[in-house]
Amino acid sequence: MKSKLVQLLRENQGFFLSGEKISIELNCSRTAVWKHVNALRKEGYVIEAVSNKGYQLMQNEDLLSKHAILSRVKDNPLFHHIAFYDSVTSTNTIAHKLINEDVKEGVVVVADEQTAGKGRLGRKWASPKRSAIAMSIILKPKLDFRQAPQLTLVAAVAVTRAVKIVTGLELEIKWPNDLLIKGKKVCGILTEMQADSDRIQSIIIGIGLNVNQQHFSEELVDLATSLQKEGDRVFDRAELIAAILKEFTWLYETYITKGFSFIKPLWEAHEITIGKEVVARSASNTKTGIAIGIDEEGVLLLQDDDQDVHRIYSADISFEN
Amino acid sequence: MKSKLVQLLRENQGFFLSGEKISIELNCSRTAVWKHVNALRKEGYVIEAVSNKGYQLMQNEDLLSKHAILSRVKDNPLFHHIAFYDSVTSTNTIAHKLINEDVKEGVVVVADEQTAGKGRLGRKWASPKRSAIAMSIILKPKLDFRQAPQLTLVAAVAVTRAVKIVTGLELEIKWPNDLLIKGKKVCGILTEMQADSDRIQSIIIGIGLNVNQQHFSEELVDLATSLQKEGDRVFDRAELIAAILKEFTWLYETYITKGFSFIKPLWEAHEITIGKEVVARSASNTKTGIAIGIDEEGVLLLQDDDQDVHRIYSADISFEN
């Protein structure tokens, strides 16, 4: 009911909607409308109420709430169950807990803030309150566990397309899980799974996206950016989340029904590593060569000076100048 | 303290040990000895007490308790934390929960009974009270997730060796996770992991071993057996658990420090699939051919009539006659 009310008010932003009109649309009493308006105000929505005119949703800062997201994903066939939190350690950690409680495929964990966001290899990822997107998608595909890294690539394509649609900004994909704007990191994807030797039991795709951050710390300012810094305006996080879920839905269904070969060219179209001379650093060694592509499992292929091709499963990639 | 007392009584089985002797060995009062004896009796130990003689542990049915196991693994460098339960749904499920609570490597979950034991591909595995071993080992190796199936093979070698040492019985290994005696299944291994695209975060090796079952249901009697049925005597489950953990410890350390190539020949020595004409059935297809070996990742290699070699990641194997 609350999410329908948010949707109705948003569709009429800039105009007053009478309590009577709303009560008819929502099929409830005018007293109930008043109660829902007050509940939304407690969540932080600024709703003006004027006698004989009705209610109006005012422009406000980028508020994220379960209802704001639900009102935008109601038609999504896969992702319409949102587990929303004001603040969590990390949305992937919450997703692991939900999986142990046996949740179904398609649950999306969203938090306004992460206090211990996770990056690759135990690194930290900052998701400050009221400005970033921290979300984790739970899926249970019937796939061999060796295919899990492909889903990171599916998610990278989904985020790249959604950001383009909502903001007009072009993201660059850097294997395996970084999304950049002009070389600065704007999004990271952390895919985690529970699996046995036969198949994936469940998979968590964590997406951390810098949306409305205006400032980064001195040590990050040359490495990271946000959509707001690059696009010079504030973006609606709920709209971005819904767009990411929408793009992911059709890409995932294409991937499951037709295979990774249908996703690979979409990924390659935005990728900036392939064809370049790169350094691949892992905990155990460093390899230099030309990134000649990815294989069918999403593994990076690196050709060294002796023309030997190495399969890179896990590494940090930097560019040779 | 209780586990030390069990150990002391077991070492002197057939003899009386005076309360005074025990109190000196355990460095506690004779009243404390009496209290611990009573606590052990509540766990089901039959301990005879005679004035002026002392205490004696009587022969009893195969009782499994935390202390019975702890007294036998106290010198194990890796596995000395036992999480013991009388009855659980499945030890792997408990292990998943413990991992989410951030337990350290080396915890072993043991249960006297599983009410919803898990096999491969969502199948059931029966672990009836007072007769079977149901245990799950928690490890956190720094390995690529593609190496996880190798740990199933390490565990298969460990169980095979431990059973031989304790019972004298020879097990046969059938790829990927079955241990058989004369073609009948006596043990299953279910390896589950939590991982990201870069590495394994934690791995659970679930081992279900039929020890003292005397009867199997009509539908299982031709397919399954127990150590008791094959060896014609009751075996001590705590002794078997400790032996499995001891064998696993050195095999695992060899695997981590020297690599899978040191484990592979030990596995192949007990394996019955390689060299045979087999049918490999998976959900999506059926392949027939000669099982010519496993590769470095533990994947089965099947050569068909056209001499093409197929990599079998997941399948049920049966033998062609």
Side-chain angles (χ1 to χ4, degrees), chain A residues 256-271:
Chain A
I256 293 295
T257 54
K258 300 189 174 170
F260 185 61
S261 59
F262 283 76
I263 303 299
K264 204 172 162 226
L266 295 174
W267 184 82
E268 287 167 337
H270 298 282
E271 216 281 333

Side-chain angles (χ1 to χ4, degrees), chain B residues 9-303:
Chain B
L9 290 169
R10 190 182 297 119
E11 285 166 1
N12 291 278
Q13 219 163 7
F15 305 93
F16 279 98
L17 259 182
S18 73
E20 192 176 357
K21 177 95 195 290
I22 297 171
S23 72
I24 292 165
E25 293 271 349
L26 300 186
N27 197 19
C28 69
S29 70
R30 291 180 60 172
T31 318
V33 172
W34 175 243
K35 277 185 189 161
H36 288 309
V37 165
N38 278 338
L40 288 174
R41 282 172 169 164
K42 277 184 190 143
E43 285 183 17
Y45 287 93
V46 181
I47 299 171
E48 201 179 359
V50 176
S51 302
N52 298 324
K53 283 185 162 183
Y55 302 98
Q56 182 177 186
L57 181 64
M58 305 307 285
Q59 206 65 325
N60 52 22
E61 60 176 312
D62 177 33
L63 270 177
L64 196 58
S65 72
K66 182 165 182 168
H67 304 290
I69 302 164
L70 273 181
S71 69
R72 288 187 157 96
V73 299
K74 63 181 169 41
D75 297 326
N76 189 304
L78 185 57
F79 301 112
H80 44 257
H81 187 102
I82 306 292
F84 182 81
Y85 302 83
D86 285 326
S87 180
V88 298
T89 51
S90 111
T91 54
N92 271 27
T93 301
I94 301 294
H96 269 297
K97 284 188 183 152
L98 293 175
I99 284 168
N100 281 6
E101 291 163 12
D102 223 13
V103 294
K104 296 271 178 296
E105 169 162 278
V107 170
V108 184
V109 180
V110 181
D112 187 35
E113 175 190 39
Q114 289 188 124
T115 56
K118 295 193 286 186
R120 276 175 65 211
L121 301 166
R123 291 169 192 154
K124 289 177 186 169
W125 178 265
S127 296
K129 209 170 181 61
R130 303 222 162 172
S131 56
I133 286 175
M135 62 193 282
S136 295
I137 295 165
I138 296 173
L139 297 167
K140 302 192 173 190
K142 285 181 181 159
L143 297 174
D144 184 279
F145 69 87
R146 292 166 190 84
Q147 292 177 267
Q150 295 174 344
L151 285 164
T152 302
L153 309 188
V154 173
V157 175
V159 173
T160 300
R161 291 179 57 92
V163 167
K164 172 75 179 176
I165 290 165
V166 174
T167 71
L169 294 166
E170 298 276 358
L171 303 192
E172 301 151 348
I173 303 175
K174 184 171 149 230
W175 185 92
N177 77 333
D178 287 350
L179 299 177
L180 315 173
I181 298 179
K182 295 173 199 156
K184 290 183 177 180
K185 189 158 173 174
V186 73
C187 179
I189 298 167
L190 181 65
T191 302
E192 298 186 283
M193 65 172 152
Q194 294 190 1
D196 60 37
S197 301
D198 289 295
R199 59 182 184 182
I200 292 170
Q201 295 161 348
S202 54
I203 203 151
I204 299 164
I205 302 175
I207 298 169
L209 178 61
N210 298 337
V211 182
N212 293 324
Q213 287 103 311
Q214 295 185 40
H215 303 287
F216 288 90
S217 64
E218 205 169 310
E219 62 187 3
L220 282 180
V221 72
D222 292 333
L223 304 171
T225 188
S226 71
L227 300 179
Q228 197 209 26
K229 282 187 79 170
E230 302 301 324
D232 282 328
R233 60 187 179 96
V234 171
F235 295 103
D236 183 328
R237 286 181 294 162
E239 188 182 354
L240 277 162
I241 289 168
I244 291 168
L245 293 175
K246 187 177 173 186
E247 291 302 304
F248 189 88
T249 300
W250 76 263
L251 288 163
Y252 177 66
E253 283 175 2
T254 304
Y255 167 71
I256 293 294
T257 55
K258 299 189 174 171
F260 185 62
S261 57
F262 283 76
I263 303 300
K264 206 171 159 226
L266 296 174
W267 184 83
E268 286 167 338
H270 299 281
E271 216 280 335
I272 56 163
T273 314
I274 311 302
K276 298 231 176 70
E277 186 156 0
V278 300
V279 183
R281 284 187 185 81
S282 72
S284 52
N285 62 46
T286 299
K287 285 200 169 68
T288 305
I290 308 282
I292 57 170
I294 54 169
D295 72 6
E296 284 305 314
E297 286 184 3
V299 174
L300 187 68
L301 303 173
L302 195 78
Q303 188 171 44

Side-chain angles (χ1 to χ4, degrees), chain A residues 93 96-97 100 118 120-122 144-146 148-149 152 176 190-199 201 297 299 311 313-315, chain B residues 93 96-97 100 118 120-122 144-146 148-149 152 176 190-199 201 297 299 311 313-315:
Chain A
T93 302
H96 270 299
K97 284 187 183 153
N100 281 7
K118 296 193 285 186
R120 277 176 62 211
L121 300 165
D144 184 279
F145 69 86
R146 293 165 189 84
T152 302
L190 181 65
T191 302
E192 299 186 280
M193 65 173 154
Q194 295 191 0
D196 59 37
S197 301
D198 289 294
R199 59 180 183 182
Q201 294 161 347
E297 286 184 3
V299 174
R311 287 164 59 85
Y313 293 108
S314 164
Chain B
T93 301
H96 269 297
K97 284 188 183 152
N100 281 6
K118 295 193 286 186
R120 276 175 65 211
L121 301 166
D144 184 279
F145 69 87
R146 292 166 190 84
T152 302
L190 181 65
T191 302
E192 298 186 283
M193 65 172 152
Q194 294 190 1
D196 60 37
S197 301
D198 289 295
R199 59 182 184 182
Q201 295 161 348
E297 286 184 3
V299 174
R311 287 163 60 84
Y313 294 106
S314 164

Side-chain angles (χ1 to χ4, degrees), chain A residues 174-186:
Chain A
K174 186 173 146 225
W175 184 91
N177 77 333
D178 289 348
L179 299 177
L180 316 173
I181 298 180
K182 295 173 198 158
K184 290 183 176 180
K185 190 157 172 174
V186 73

